[in-house]
Amino acid sequence: MKRTSILAVLLMAVAVNAQVTKILIPAGTPEDQSIQAVSNEADGQKRLVLLQEFVKNFSANPQAAAYGHWQLSQQYLEHGDTAKALESGEKALAVQPNNLDILISLCGVAQKLNANDRLVNYAVRGGTAFNGIARQPKPEGFSAEEFALKIQQDQDPFRPSYEYLEATALNALMAEQDAKRRMSYVEQYMTAFPGSRFEEQVMQLSLYTLGQMKDSARLASFAEKALAANPNNVSTLVVLADAFAEFPEAASTERAEQYARKALEAAKAQTGLDAGKLRMFSGMAHSALGYALMKQEKTLPAIAELKTASTELKDRPEAYAAVLYRLGFAYAKTGKLPEAKAVLSEAITIQGAYQQPSRDLLAKVQAGPPKTRTKK
């Protein structure tokens, strides 16, 4: 069992602006002596029993109850009992709702349960508590510089925990398959972790998600925010180009073309990215541009863009499949059926979102144009 400190003060108590809290167990008390007995027990099953007795014996002491249930939760998790780990962790959290150690422990339980909703909730609560430190009132007589230093000093002990929650929540956002739910998580994340070190990734994820949701109005709003700080960010421009290319409105198609062309220009000016990433960004920009041009009935230039994209994205299966589908569609529109069949036949071998649409389009191309009946 992990023990944060021994003897003098176990888990020193800190309460900052009624936000982030830690547990106080004074040294030498019966609670402290029981904790030491638990720590000295090497057998996991016996330690579990001792912790069960601890929370029963000291249930009237909120600090001890929080500590006992927190440790009991971790012990249950080690034994593979995630249901009881969650139950005990929630009991600890009820007593100390802004305790980052407990919230981190519960994130571990949520990960085992594959419960993204719980994990994001715990992480968001932790991020909110941490940032609450900065909302404490300025002490009388403090200058702005002195107060800023105080905030930093108050936050520093909790920063590693905050950054862990920040990264763990991001992984949950990235893993969520449902677009609507993912967007809800993104909005919670951006509130709980303002100015996150992952801000660019989260913004791009939000743009991609809104594209999936076909919400062009919100996508346009997020686009302005995403490009405000860095208008020449290649990855953001590429995500925007591809997202807007999927919308049916002419205005969105024009936006897609603009963002794709700007991405290609920005990519040429990049010096810090490796060749593989530059090739990927360029390929995705050419793909979005080709698709936008095709939707504007500029099919021949669209084919040229899509062929370039197919060369640059060949080592990126999902993006490559999208290009092949779009290229097959463009070839079919111009009557180049053998070429359409060739690229679509390749597309159907790549598992992913474009596999079935490519099958459907290939079937139509193979069937040929509908035959017209002649009147007798």
Side-chain angles (χ1 to χ4, degrees), residues 285-314:
H286 280 295
S287 177
L289 178 56
Y291 193 38
L293 291 172
M294 183 174 66
K295 291 173 71 175
Q296 296 175 72
E297 301 302 327
K298 300 173 184 176
T299 312
L300 292 178
I303 288 174
E305 296 291 341
L306 293 168
K307 286 176 71 175
T308 300
S310 68
T311 300
E312 294 181 329
L313 294 173
K314 198 151 190 173

Side-chain angles (χ1 to χ4, degrees), residues 159-290:
R159 196 171 300 280
S161 296
Y162 174 80
E163 291 180 350
Y164 173 84
L165 292 169
E166 180 188 23
T168 301
L170 176 67
N171 291 335
L173 265 60
M174 302 289 286
E176 180 55 55
Q177 297 299 306
D178 183 89
K180 189 174 181 180
R181 193 176 298 122
R182 189 193 312 126
M183 195 62 210
S184 171
Y185 295 162
V186 166
E187 290 170 337
Q188 294 176 60
Y189 186 97
M190 293 173 74
T191 300
F193 301 98
S196 170
R197 60 203 164 118
F198 305 118
E199 187 172 33
E200 182 180 334
Q201 290 169 261
V202 174
M203 186 61 74
Q204 289 174 13
L205 183 63
S206 69
L207 297 173
Y208 169 75
T209 303
L210 289 170
Q212 282 188 309
M213 293 169 63
K214 308 299 181 187
D215 193 336
S216 58
R218 286 176 73 189
L219 180 61
S221 174
F222 265 82
E224 293 177 7
K225 294 177 184 177
L227 294 172
N230 189 354
N232 294 312
N233 187 292
V234 180
S235 55
T236 300
L237 288 166
V238 165
V239 171
L240 284 170
D242 199 62
F244 275 110
E246 294 290 347
F247 288 104
E249 307 93 352
S252 293
T253 301
E254 290 171 7
R255 271 180 177 265
E257 181 181 353
Q258 292 168 6
Y259 287 132
R261 293 190 186 281
K262 193 169 182 180
L264 290 169
E265 291 174 9
K268 292 175 185 176
Q270 292 291 319
T271 56
L273 289 176
D274 64 71
K277 274 196 173 181
L278 276 176
R279 188 168 59 251
M280 178 190 72
F281 288 143
S282 175
M284 291 182 70
H286 280 295
S287 177
L289 178 56

Side-chain angles (χ1 to χ4, degrees), residues 13 48 64 76-77 86-87 100 195 220 229 233 241 245 280 307 324 347 355 364 370:
L48 185 64
Y76 278 130
L77 190 61
L86 181 64
E87 181 184 354
L100 299 191
N233 187 292
M280 178 190 72
K307 286 176 71 175
L324 292 177
Q355 191 171 36
K364 290 179 182 178

